[in-house]
Amino acid sequence: MITTELVRRIRAASDGGDDVVIAMREIAARALPDGVTSDDDFEVLVGAFGSESRTLGYLRRLAELTEPQDDGLRDAIQRVSTFAERVRDNGLSHVLQVIFENSHAYMDESEHLHAFTRAVTTSFSGRVTFANLNYDTLLLSGLLSVCSSSEVADLGHGGKKWTATRTDGTKIKVPALRESKHDFKDSQRIRLINLHGSITYWATKDGRAFAKLSREHLEDLEQWQGVRDGTTSLRPVVVLASQKDKSAHVQEFPFSLAYEMFVDALADSDHWLIVGYSFRDVPVNAKLQAEFNERALEQKPRVLVVTYGDDLSVREIERAFGWGQEDGSSVNWLTVVRSGANGVETTEEWADFHNS
């Protein structure tokens, strides 16, 4: 379990008693007071570290508002802000490094992913948009394995480059992130939008430049350690936040662009395939519900929800779309597959979905 490994690394970090590590451990202990028991703990834990970003924003604004003559108070606020930044960077770098290493480990078990992505991209002749909530690169790798690279695009810009400095001081050219949906070409039929960022999306600390680093750049792990040591000026661009804070985070670039494209994709499509989603993400649910409710009854999209087991009820799904009991049965637009994503493309439900 990723959560277990993450907690183990936090507990093992810097036994010398560094104040930042002590604070990081306390945040983890407070987020998981009863120990690591389920996958849900991961969202709770990363949300605890992600909330430090909001704290930093408040502290910096407070420092700006402090009376100019009160140098001591302003300096104290700045010291606290700097400390909170180090705590956040340490926590988030551990989170994303564990995700990166785990996604690399699963690359050899990709047959099911390739079969799934091949089925999705070949079953529909128009534009196919994948809106991904994971931070890893597994889906992108799957798409590039079964599709022509010229028709696949994510937020990484193929034309614009940005110069990044590695932790050893060497300069490399990396793709800049796209700034607008107009940066995508019409020929790029398969689009991947990481709604909450990716382990490969990074930015300068001042937030003025955004780029996509390669897996090779992250492979030697120096970049993750550089974040913790403060030897790199780059920071990962991801939404790691509690549900309470997430709505505010996604209004910032590049997440705002990803959500804009998500809304456009929902509006342009009559087939919505939802895989492995718990329907607990407030910003995502809001976009799904807004577009669903915008359509007349006879124009509702065909929705195929792929989950595993019986934990997610049909009623929960209906509520996420704004479909009330007074609206009657959802059978005309909703189908649920409970056997998981592996092999879903071979089921009768899939055949009915893409042929409708």
Side-chain angles (χ1 to χ4, degrees):
M1 181 188 290
I2 292 179
T3 316
T4 304
E5 174 61 17
L6 176 56
V7 171
R8 186 194 68 77
R9 294 192 187 191
I10 290 174
R11 289 172 178 165
S14 184
D15 291 330
D18 179 85
D19 288 344
V20 169
V21 175
I22 292 172
M24 186 173 63
R25 288 173 179 165
E26 290 180 354
I27 289 173
R30 188 170 65 248
L32 302 172
D34 299 320
V36 180
T37 58
S38 72
D39 290 337
D40 293 339
D41 290 333
F42 181 74
E43 184 169 306
V44 173
L45 181 57
V46 299
F49 285 114
S51 65
E52 300 302 315
S53 299
R54 299 290 299 278
T55 302
L56 285 171
Y58 297 144
L59 287 172
R60 286 166 180 156
R61 285 193 292 273
L62 184 59
E64 292 171 359
L65 293 172
T66 302
E67 295 182 11
Q69 62 269 28
D70 198 343
D71 294 334
L73 179 57
R74 189 171 59 254
D75 290 345
I77 293 174
Q78 185 58 50
R79 287 180 61 194
V80 172
S81 176
T82 300
F83 180 78
E85 184 178 58
R86 290 181 61 203
V87 172
R88 179 203 60 186
D89 288 346
N90 268 259
L92 297 192
S93 64
H94 275 297
V95 169
L96 296 176
Q97 184 177 340
V98 170
I99 293 174
F100 176 77
E101 292 173 0
N102 274 268
S103 67
H104 182 73
Y106 293 142
M107 288 295 288
D108 294 334
E109 304 174 8
S110 54
E111 294 88 351
H112 289 297
L113 176 61
H114 291 173
F116 171 75
T117 52
R118 183 179 295 107
V120 174
T121 55
T122 59
S123 296
F124 302 96
S125 58
R127 180 173 299 156
V128 178
T129 300
F130 291 82
N132 191 12
L133 291 176
N134 293 335
Y135 311 115
D136 59 48
T137 58
L138 290 176
L139 181 53
L140 177 59
S141 297
L143 291 172
L144 291 175
S145 296
V146 302
C147 301
S148 166
S149 60
S150 63
E151 65 175 346
V152 178
D154 64 0
L155 287 188
H157 201 299
K160 293 184 179 180
K161 299 291 184 178
W162 183 65
T163 301
T165 303
R166 296 175 61 92
T167 54
D168 62 4
T170 59
K171 306 282 187 181
I172 59 171
K173 291 287 187 179
V174 294
L177 291 192
R178 301 177 198 270
E179 299 175 355
S180 163
K181 62 183 180 182
H182 302 296
D183 289 334
F184 287 83
K185 300 176 182 178
D186 290 338
S187 59
Q188 294 168 321
R189 186 179 72 90
I190 312 300
R191 299 182 178 180
L192 172 61
I193 51 176
N194 293 84
L195 293 178
H196 295 162
S198 165
I199 52 177
T200 60
Y201 295 174
W202 291 67
T204 53
K205 289 181 69 173
D206 59 13
R208 293 182 179 178
F210 295 83
K212 178 183 175 182
L213 302 186
S214 67
R215 284 190 59 88
E216 289 71 27
H217 187 113
L218 303 174
E219 197 71 50
D220 60 12
L221 307 182
E222 290 184 4
Q223 190 65 36
W224 306 110
Q225 189 61 46
V227 173
R228 294 193 282 274
D229 295 340
T231 56
T232 175
S233 62
L234 304 180
R235 292 298 180 270
V237 180
V238 293
V239 174
L240 289 175
S242 64
Q243 289 296 341
K244 180 180 179 181
D245 293 333
K246 196 171 290 183
S247 295
H249 277 267
V250 300
Q251 295 178 36
E252 302 170 359
F253 182 84
F255 319 113
S256 55
L257 172 58
Y259 268 82
E260 179 185 3
M261 296 187 66
F262 178 47
V263 170
D264 289 349
L266 290 174
D268 292 341
S269 177
D270 292 324
H271 292 78
W272 297 359
L273 172 63
I274 302 174
V275 181
Y277 177 49
S278 65
F279 289 91
R280 290 199 297 259
D281 195 290
V282 174
V284 172
N285 285 356
K287 302 306 183 186
L288 290 172
Q289 188 173 134
E291 176 57 31
F292 187 85
N293 289 339
E294 186 72 19
R295 303 191 186 193
L297 182 61
E298 64 276 8
Q299 297 175 324
K300 298 297 185 187
R302 285 297 304 272
V303 179
L304 177 61
V305 174
V306 181
T307 186
Y308 188 79
D310 299 323
D311 289 345
L312 181 63
S313 70
V314 170
R315 189 71 198 101
E316 288 177 288
I317 299 171
E318 291 173 341
R319 278 199 297 266
F321 284 95
W323 185 269
Q325 290 183 331
E326 68 279 4
D327 295 314
S329 173
S330 58
V331 68
N332 289 330
W333 60 268
L334 175 63
T335 302
V336 181
V337 172
R338 299 189 178 278
S339 55
N342 289 349
V344 67
E345 70 280 356
T346 66
T347 64
E348 293 182 6
E349 290 87 350
W350 170 258
D352 291 341
F353 172 69
H354 80 78
N355 287 326
S356 60

